[in-house]
Amino acid sequence: MLDKSSVLLRLSDLGMPARKLKIFDKLIRAPHGIILVTGPTGSGKTTTLYAALSSLNSSEINIITIEDPVEYQMDGIAQIQVNPKIDLTFAKGLRSIVRQDPDVILVGEIRDRETAEIAIQSALTGHLVFSTLHTNDSATAVTRLIDMGIEPFLASSSVIAILAQRLVRVVCEHCKEVYTPDEESFHSIGISPELHEGKKIYRGKGCPSCLNTGYKGRSGAFELMVLDDAIKNLILKTSDANTIKRKAVEQGMIPLRQDGAHKVLSGITTIEEVFRVTQQ
C-alpha cells in the first residue's frame, strides 16, 4: 500500500488480485452511480479512492472532491476542504459541487442522511460518485445507508459496487522463513487441508531491516461486492447484512478473510495477520 507522500497512485500497487482489479477498474469507468469503500480508520480507503481518481484523471474529465481533510494533493482536480467554522459541511459542499456539473465526485465520507441523499441524487442524475463508510464489510454498508433513512429502492438503484478493505502487513523479504502452521491456525482463516497442501507458508524471523517485527510494508485485502440485479432485488426485500452477504458470495464475491487467506498461500502475509485484521 502506498504512503501519503506518494505522488502517483496506481490501482495495481494496492495489492488487489488481478481478476478483482480488472472488475474494479471497469467499475470506476462507469458513466454514473456510487462506488463505496468501507473499512475502519486506517484501512487505506482514501488511498484506494485516490488511486481510482488517478486512473481517471485527464483533461477531458472534470473531477471535484470534498474531504475532511484533503489527504493527497493531485494536479488536475479541484479539491475542497470541509470547514465547520464557515458552515462548509459535506452536504453543503456537495450541493455546490453538483451545480458545477462534474463528471466525477469524491465525497470523503457519508456521515449523515443529507449527504447520502445528495450523493444518491448526484449518481441518479449522471455523475459518478466515490465515497467511504465506516462499516466492517461490504454488505453492512447497505444496511448502514438504510439505517440512515435512505429508501431501499434508492440505495439499490444508485450504488453500483461496495469495496470493503483492510491493510495487512507484508512478511519481510530479508528474514522470511518457511514453517508449518498447525491445522487449527489454518482453520482460523478458512484454509482447508487440500488448499494448503504443497504450499509454502512464510513468517518473518525479525531482522534489522524490519526492526525485528518480521514485517515490512503493507498490502490490501479486499472484498468487492458488485450490485447486480439479484442483489438489487434482494435489497428491496431486506436490509439484513448477513442475507445480502450470502447472496453476494453465491454470485461470486470473495469475502475479506478468504482474500487474506489467498495472500497467506501466496507468501505475502501471515495467518496471524489476516486473523487480526478480519476478526469482527
Side-chain angles (χ1 to χ4, degrees), residues 116-191:
E117 286 178 339
I118 303 167
I120 286 170
Q121 289 304 318
S122 301
L124 294 175
T125 53
H127 304 88
L128 181 62
V129 181
F130 295 105
S131 193
T132 69
L133 277 176
H134 283 275
T135 62
N136 285 327
D137 60 16
S138 52
T140 310
V142 176
T143 307
R144 177 81 179 104
L145 286 175
I146 294 172
D147 286 346
M148 282 182 181
I150 301 301
E151 292 291 339
F153 77 91
L154 287 175
S156 64
S157 59
S158 59
V159 179
I160 59 175
I162 303 169
L163 181 74
Q165 69 176 71
R166 299 290 189 278
L167 290 180
V168 294
R169 292 177 294 173
V170 174
V171 176
C172 177
E173 284 292 327
H174 298 282
C175 65
K176 70 178 184 180
E177 63 177 3
V178 177
Y179 80 113
T180 304
D182 56 46
E183 285 300 326
E184 187 177 342
S185 296
F186 280 123
H187 181 72
S188 70
I189 60 169
I191 299 177

Side-chain angles (χ1 to χ4, degrees), residues 11 22 26 37 57 65-66 81-82 116 128-129 147 156-157 190 192-193 214 217 228 244 261 265 274 277:
L11 286 173
K22 185 177 181 180
K26 183 179 179 181
V37 180
N57 194 12
T65 78
I66 179 161
Q81 168 86 42
V82 166
L128 181 62
V129 181
D147 286 346
S156 64
S157 59
S192 60
D228 59 14
I244 295 170
L265 296 175
V274 171
V277 302

Side-chain angles (χ1 to χ4, degrees), residues 28 49 73 76-77 92 119 121 170-171 202 204 209 213 241 273-274:
I28 66 173
L49 287 175
Q73 299 290 336
I77 69 176
K92 290 190 175 181
Q121 289 304 318
V170 174
V171 176
Y202 293 92
S209 180
T213 62
E273 185 68 359
V274 171

Side-chain angles (χ1 to χ4, degrees), residues 67-114:
E67 306 166 73
D68 183 23
V70 174
E71 296 187 50
Y72 289 102
Q73 299 290 336
M74 186 173 287
D75 294 335
I77 69 176
Q79 297 172 276
I80 301 170
Q81 168 86 42
V82 166
N83 189 346
K85 292 182 180 178
I86 59 171
D87 201 26
L88 178 55
T89 62
F90 277 120
K92 290 190 175 181
L94 186 51
R95 286 188 190 279
S96 177
I97 286 171
V98 172
R99 296 191 197 104
Q100 299 174 49
D101 196 29
D103 301 299
V104 179
I105 303 169
L106 168 61
V107 185
E109 183 184 349
I110 293 179
R111 296 176 179 172
D112 52 50
R113 178 178 177 175
E114 185 180 10

